[in-house]
Every structure is written in C-alpha cells, then in structure tokens.
Amino acid sequence: MNRVRAAIVILAFLIAFSVFGHISIKTTTKNLLHGLQQLEQSVLVKDYTAASRQVTALMEQCQRDEELLTIFVKRDLYNTLWISLVGLQAYLSDQYFNDMLMELARTKASVDALHQQYFSLA
Amino acid sequence: MYVLMLRTVLIYFVIIFAMRLMGKKQLGELQPSELVSTILISNLASICIESPEIPIAGSVVPVLLIVSLEILLSAACARSRRLATMLSGNACIVVRRGEIDQNMLRRLRFSADDLLEALRAKDIFELDDVELAIVETNGSLSVCKRPGADTIKLDDLNLDKPLDRLPRLPVMVQGEPDIEILNCLGRSKEQLEQLLREENCPAQEVLLLFCNAAGEYKLVRRQQKQSQ
C-alpha cells in the first residue's frame, strides 16, 4: 500500500510539473512572439531606436528564462533562439531592411520550434 | 565531463530508487508489462547520459511516470483478476499425465525442443514422470511429478520432522538483530542478548548468528583484518 501511495504522489508531482512546464513555455513563447511582432512593427515604420530597445528587451527576457526553458526543452533549441535574437541587432538599419525581415521570420520560426518541441505529439 | 559524470550519478540513483519502488516482483521473473517497463526504463536512462543537450527531466520524468504507472497497474491487477488476465494472460496446461497437449503448444508457439529443455531444467528426463506441466504467464514451466516419480518425503514414511532438523535462520547479521526472524522462532531480543553474554561476544563482533526453534545456534564472529 505504501508503494501505491508513493506512486500516486509521484504521479501527482509529474502532473503538477507538466502543468508548470506547460504554463511556463506557453507564457515565454507568447511573450517572445508578442515582442517580435512589436519589433516588426517598429522596423516597418523604420523606428530603429525603438527596435533596438525591443531587441535588448527580448534578449534580456530570453536570458531571464534560460534556466526555466532548458529544464523543458533541448539546449540546442534555446541556443538557436538566442543566436537569432543576438543577430537581430546587426540588421537594425535601412541598409539591411529586407535582411531584418528575414531574420525576424527566422527568429519567429525558432520560437515556434521551441513551442512545437514541447507541445507537439508527432 | 564533470556534468556528464554528475548526470550519470543522478540517473543511476533515480533508477535504483525506481527499482526499489517497484519492488521484488520486478527483480524476479517478469510478467509482460514488467518486462516492458524494465526495458523502457533502461533505455530512457541512457538517453540523458548519452545526450548532454537533452534536459535531465527528459529521462527522469518518463522513468518516474513508468514506475508509478507500473505500480498502480500491478495494484489494480492484484484486485481485479480480469485485468490481470488481460495484461498477463493465463497459465496454460501443456502436459497432462504424460500426454502433451499439442494444440496448446501450437497456441503458445512452444516447440517440442522448448518443452523438453524446460523439463530437463526441472530435472525431468521422462515425459511419463509428468503429472501436470503448466506454462506460467511469465513463460516459465511449472511441473507436478506423478506420485511414483516424486522424491520421498517424511510424510510418506509417516515420520515427524524432529525439531532439531528445522533450519537455523540468521537472527543477527553484522551485529544487527533481525526482529522478524526472532519473532518467527519465538525468541526475544533479550534472549538473544543473554546468548551473546554467555558467549562473551558483543553484538559488534558478530558476523552471523544462526538459530532454530529448538534453541540450537551457530555463532560466526568477525575476523580481524589480516595484514599481508
């Protein structure tokens, strides 16, 4: 009977851990996507000062969530996302407008991949 | 490298914890679901050790999930015979009074060689010596010999087993008394201590102490480490 109780406790812990992971990943990816959307708006109106601030904020957010994210997803994915965010800084000018949009799309794809890895069954 | 070693140690202790939690059933002859969970657990444990980029939760969570499901399933099977049959199947009779049930053998995909090998493992070389042979759900073969082929027991000779023929059980191992065995033999801890005083042997010096219900005992003292 003690083992059965232990099994129930472990199962309850795993469910709680999964729910925590679900909420954490969903919140993080939602915030990142929202931030990237705002960044895209700034780039489209060519407000590179605001865009630079937004990139910095996104990087800080990503760094803050690093420990939490790497509990639930592969470190490779996190690193890919981080490198994409860092790379955005280099394209904040009129000269690299198209490249910036491409990099933004790539970063959004990285966030989606992170989301997929955690939530996808297939 | 240190991280790899740490992950290995962590997973190692998690697996030990998992096997302890699942209990003796898992270590003995395995039912199908138990075999599956043992194989899965060993594979899952290696994932995290081989791939440092995968979070440790990637191994620990599935292992703990399988352990808890296995325990709950086995508890449910203990309560419900129907569920146990569904998961593990039924024991099947393959030999009755020396006659092989060939339909059953075909159903089980047991060849004649498999049957003979299993019988030889039970020290049976004559099919006619078999009263009943049953293939259990874990794949092992249980055999009941016909009375004439069975070994003679004291009951057959109408003899009572003398008290001093009862086995001597270990009541103390490495200075630690085994209260359960003491109770089984109808002895108390105080009687044990009295015995050690009579032998002039403190508990720390005891390697093994065997005793039976008749009060016969055998004391094995610890030996001092001999320098070479």
Side-chain angles (χ1 to χ4, degrees), chain A residues 33 36 39-40 77-91 98-114:
Chain A
L33 283 172
L36 287 169
L39 175 60
E40 197 176 11
L77 273 176
Y78 172 82
N79 289 343
T80 307
L81 173 62
W82 172 253
I83 289 166
S84 299
L85 284 173
V86 168
L88 289 173
Q89 291 276 18
Y91 297 100
N98 291 326
D99 297 308
M100 179 59 169
L101 291 179
M102 195 197 76
E103 283 299 316
L104 268 170
R106 206 157 74 114
T107 311
K108 277 187 199 168
S110 295
V111 175
D112 282 335
L114 205 137

Side-chain angles (χ1 to χ4, degrees), chain B residues 14-25:
Chain B
V14 166
I15 300 306
I16 287 178
F17 169 72
M19 299 312 281
R20 274 295 285 123
L21 198 58
M22 286 193 286
K24 290 180 179 48
K25 272 188 81 171

Side-chain angles (χ1 to χ4, degrees), chain B residues 169-173 176-179 181-182 185 187 192 209-211:
Chain B
L169 301 172
V171 293
M172 190 174 247
V173 178
E176 294 289 332
D178 192 323
I179 306 295
I181 291 182
L182 274 173
L185 295 172
R187 303 276 152 188
L192 183 69
L209 176 61
F210 298 92
C211 191

Side-chain angles (χ1 to χ4, degrees), chain A residues 56-74:
Chain A
T56 308
L58 280 168
M59 283 167 60
E60 279 169 8
Q61 188 194 333
C62 196
Q63 233 174 355
R64 258 199 321 269
D65 294 338
E66 181 188 357
E67 301 296 335
L68 198 61
L69 282 176
T70 49
I71 289 172
F72 298 105
V73 296
K74 280 167 83 166

Side-chain angles (χ1 to χ4, degrees), chain B residues 29 94-95 110 113-146 149-151:
Chain B
E29 285 167 340
V94 290
V95 179
F110 243 63
D113 282 323
D114 292 335
L115 178 63
L116 291 175
E117 189 185 328
L119 287 174
R120 282 195 297 268
K122 299 278 176 189
D123 296 329
I124 294 169
F125 290 81
E126 290 279 349
L127 196 57
D128 289 335
D129 289 345
V130 179
E131 178 69 27
L132 205 65
I134 300 173
V135 174
E136 306 291 356
T137 52
N138 60 13
S140 64
L141 186 75
S142 301
V143 179
C144 175
K145 290 185 192 174
R146 66 175 174 81
D150 212 346
T151 45

Side-chain angles (χ1 to χ4, degrees), chain A:
Chain A
M1 232 21 223
N2 283 336
R3 284 197 166 94
V4 172
R5 272 193 218 118
I8 292 169
V9 166
I10 290 170
L11 215 49
F13 167 74
L14 290 175
I15 291 168
F17 186 71
S18 304
V19 167
F20 172 68
H22 178 104
I23 294 170
S24 305
I25 301 290
K26 214 166 182 87
T27 310
T28 304
T29 52
K30 192 177 152 190
N31 291 340
L32 283 171
L33 283 172
H34 180 69
L36 287 169
Q37 224 157 350
Q38 284 185 322
L39 175 60
E40 197 176 11
Q41 294 303 317
S42 302
V43 167
L44 286 171
V45 299
K46 310 226 175 165
D47 184 359
Y48 294 110
T49 317
S52 178
R53 273 201 311 272
Q54 279 154 2
V55 170
T56 308
L58 280 168
M59 283 167 60
E60 279 169 8
Q61 188 194 333
C62 196
Q63 233 174 355
R64 258 199 321 269
D65 294 338
E66 181 188 357
E67 301 296 335
L68 198 61
L69 282 176
T70 49
I71 289 172
F72 298 105
V73 296
K74 280 167 83 166
R75 187 158 270 281
D76 289 352
L77 273 176
Y78 172 82
N79 289 343
T80 307
L81 173 62
W82 172 253
I83 289 166
S84 299
L85 284 173
V86 168
L88 289 173
Q89 291 276 18
Y91 297 100
L92 287 171
S93 73
D94 265 336
Q95 199 182 352
Y96 303 114
F97 179 75
N98 291 326
D99 297 308
M100 179 59 169
L101 291 179
M102 195 197 76
E103 283 299 316
L104 268 170
R106 206 157 74 114
T107 311
K108 277 187 199 168
S110 295
V111 175
D112 282 335
L114 205 137
H115 186 270
Q116 273 278 73
Q117 208 224 0
Y118 190 77
F119 290 102
S120 170
L121 201 60

Side-chain angles (χ1 to χ4, degrees), chain B residues 48 100 154 218 222:
Chain B
C48 199
I100 300 175
L154 287 172
K218 181 180 172 66
R222 279 187 206 259

